[in-house]
Amino acid sequence: MVLRSFFAQDSEALIVTSSPDSSIEGDPIINNSDTPDGTIFEYSGGFGTTVTLDDTSGSPNVFNDDQEAGHVITDGGGIVADGTQVESESIIVVRALDENGVPTGPEIEIYVFSQNGITSDVWGFATSEPLTPGTSYIKISGSNAGSSSYDDYIPCFGPGTLIETVDGEVEVALLKKGQMVWTRDAGFQPILWIGTTEVQGTGAFAPVVIEKDAIGNSRKLILSPQHRVLVSAPVTDMLFGSSEVFVAAKHLCGLPGVEICEMDSITYTHFMFDRHHIVRSNGALTESYFFGDTAKHALSEAQRSEILTLFPMLKFGVSAFGETAASTISAREAEVLRAYL
């Protein structure tokens, strides 16, 4: 079994608003051959999730076209049924339209996914660059040959995480520096730094997958092992003298619906405020990035340099960043806590 996980979006997130073929107007995105150049889509956002499939095609780094039997969904994230045979059907190339309807920005490849060997039965897509909710995109070219590398798809905390902002829930891959994010203790705060790190999804960096409702999350949540989750329960006061504590995601494993899931590679997104905050991700309360001694070593040298430029006080030690937004319990303490949850 070769499991590949990637960030995909429901086809309903891209709707045709105008086209030389008027019969497809109002429909979700379909394959390239049925979509004329000049077709305009509006992107609504909010339909993304992490999808996992078993790739037995013989080329596990490529999501192939015309080899649906070699790509079987093991976890469709609610947008495609588990057990479905899927393929990367075609590629549609688009550019954003500005307020005057003029194409602007880079060319973006949309990888269109079909199911059960039916080219017209499109369930979702991935993109080479993030799309902006509320923006229209015009098709400028395309290819009926849809085979594409999993590495070409945008990574999306772990992939697919929705962060609560002043603009509603926003996919973590679409967050930008300066965006106002909801924090539990200080209202909406601007992101001062944001970055991504791609690592092997095995061993110390293997992601923790938290199924829907396991910790109060409204949808599946994927976190790095050390990413802390806020746990609030009557028993925490009895055990630790606090009504709430931070628990590293990996120390929640053993609870129903929480487990480590190894994969070839994964890209984690980090964002940072002027101090440590509690944010809402997929409905759960988790931490923003804390530039601690352990976490900083997961960054590239360029990322560490950027943070030290933005936060020069950190050159004098990570304690200058302040305290964590809640106290953190150890692995042994978490083991005791799990017995009561």
Side-chain angles (χ1 to χ4, degrees), residues 165 167 170-181 189-195 269-274 302-303 305-311:
T165 76
D167 303 306
V170 174
E171 294 155 16
V172 70
L174 302 179
L175 292 174
K176 295 178 173 60
K177 190 183 296 185
Q179 189 149 13
M180 302 297 288
V181 171
Q189 294 292 314
I191 294 174
L192 299 186
W193 176 84
I194 188 166
T269 299
H270 325 274
F271 57 87
M272 193 166 164
F273 304 102
D274 62 342
Q303 288 173 325
S305 177
E306 182 182 3
I307 287 177
L308 290 175
T309 299
L310 290 168
F311 304 89

Side-chain angles (χ1 to χ4, degrees), residues 7-9 14 29-30 32 41 43 63 88 90-96 104-113 124-132 137-155:
F7 182 69
Q9 302 189 63
L14 268 175
I29 189 171
I30 52 177
N32 175 70
F41 305 91
Y43 176 63
F63 191 5
S88 184
S90 59
I91 299 172
I92 292 175
V93 181
V94 300
R95 292 184 71 195
T104 185
E107 295 184 359
I108 299 174
E109 293 187 328
I110 300 174
Y111 309 100
V112 181
F113 305 144
F125 64 91
T127 61
S128 61
E129 299 286 342
L131 303 180
T132 302
Y137 294 84
I138 186 168
K139 181 188 174 187
I140 58 174
S141 64
S143 171
N144 292 337
S147 293
S148 49
S149 170
Y150 296 107
D151 293 337
D152 289 340
Y153 310 155
I154 59 167

